[in-house]
Amino acid sequence: MQTLILDEQEIRQRIWTELQRATQDRHSQWRTPVLATVDKKGAPDARTVVLRHADVKLSRLHIYTDSRSPKVAELAGQPNAMLVFWSKRLNWQLRVRVQISVQTAGPQVDAVWARVSQSAAAGDYLSPLAPGDRLPGAPALPRDSTHPHHLAILVAQVQEIDWLELARSGHRRALLGADTWAWRVP
């Protein structure tokens, strides 16, 4: 199968189309990127997250999390982070440099909670225990809606995207800013 050679504008458009698709398609390989942050000791920390929203006009990505999770504390100390996406179907890797703000209250959080609270995932945000806390016994998380929820939205403002395409005909790499494009050595 021959690789389709896309130009700069087509690549930029395809990246955002795929990111938006990933928020709806549970089978998209870009739905679950790796989020890398820096912990309190300055060591790297990485985990898989779920991409929930992609806004091309504002260059923003949204991820839901528990407001008590270690990543929230890490981002409070250092809001610069990296999201890494891989698509075998496209043979594309994205390294997305972002600055993340954490929303724990307000109309947007309320709207998201109204949807999430009706799903099985609601229990993740209702637990009296924080993510990573030791369980006293077998896991049995309450779905009791009388507990306050701990849902937070990580709003990742895209700073730049390092795009890499692996192809038999030759690898290609570029660094994309909001209004810039620079080809790089793969």
Side-chain angles (χ1 to χ4, degrees):
M1 182 171 131
Q2 187 158 345
T3 303
L4 179 65
I5 304 297
L6 302 175
D7 67 24
E8 296 166 6
Q9 187 56 35
E10 291 169 326
I11 293 167
R12 186 183 297 272
Q13 184 177 9
R14 182 75 182 269
I15 287 170
W16 281 99
T17 298
E18 293 292 332
L19 288 170
Q20 289 173 319
R21 187 172 77 73
T23 67
Q24 302 299 315
D25 179 0
R26 292 179 181 269
H27 302 290
S28 169
Q29 293 170 325
W30 283 4
R31 185 166 176 85
T32 52
V34 172
L35 171 64
T37 57
V38 177
D39 71 14
K40 293 179 201 175
K41 296 178 183 176
D45 199 359
R47 79 286 287 150
T48 301
V49 294
V50 178
L51 183 64
R52 298 297 185 174
H53 180 73
D55 186 328
V56 63
K57 289 181 182 162
L58 296 176
S59 296
R60 288 186 183 152
L61 304 172
H62 291 187
I63 297 157
Y64 304 160
T65 192
D66 187 303
S67 61
R68 302 164 298 170
S69 72
K71 67 181 149 289
V72 170
E74 292 167 4
L75 290 164
Q78 174 53 267
N80 296 313
M82 178 80 67
L83 286 161
V84 180
F85 299 82
W86 168 252
S87 171
K88 183 176 180 171
R89 179 177 56 84
L90 297 171
N91 278 334
W92 285 11
Q93 173 186 271
L94 296 183
R95 294 184 330 125
V96 183
R97 190 170 311 284
V98 295
Q99 186 164 38
I100 297 181
S101 60
V102 180
Q103 293 182 358
T104 58
Q108 192 171 17
V109 173
D110 293 342
V112 168
W113 178 246
R115 289 191 312 273
V116 172
S117 67
Q118 302 305 309
S119 72
D124 297 341
Y125 304 106
L126 291 171
S127 172
L129 301 173
D133 281 356
R134 184 181 197 116
L135 287 172
L141 298 177
R143 256 184 81 76
D144 181 0
S145 61
T146 60
H147 291 301
H149 74 79
H150 300 284
L151 176 79
I153 303 171
L154 303 182
V155 179
Q157 183 65 52
V158 175
Q159 307 296 309
E160 65 183 15
I161 297 173
D162 184 342
W163 168 80
L164 175 65
E165 176 184 53
L166 302 179
R168 287 186 178 155
S169 58
H171 306 328
R172 297 190 305 162
R173 185 176 184 180
L175 192 61
L176 295 70
D179 299 311
T180 60
W181 181 280
W183 287 104
R184 300 288 185 184
V185 175

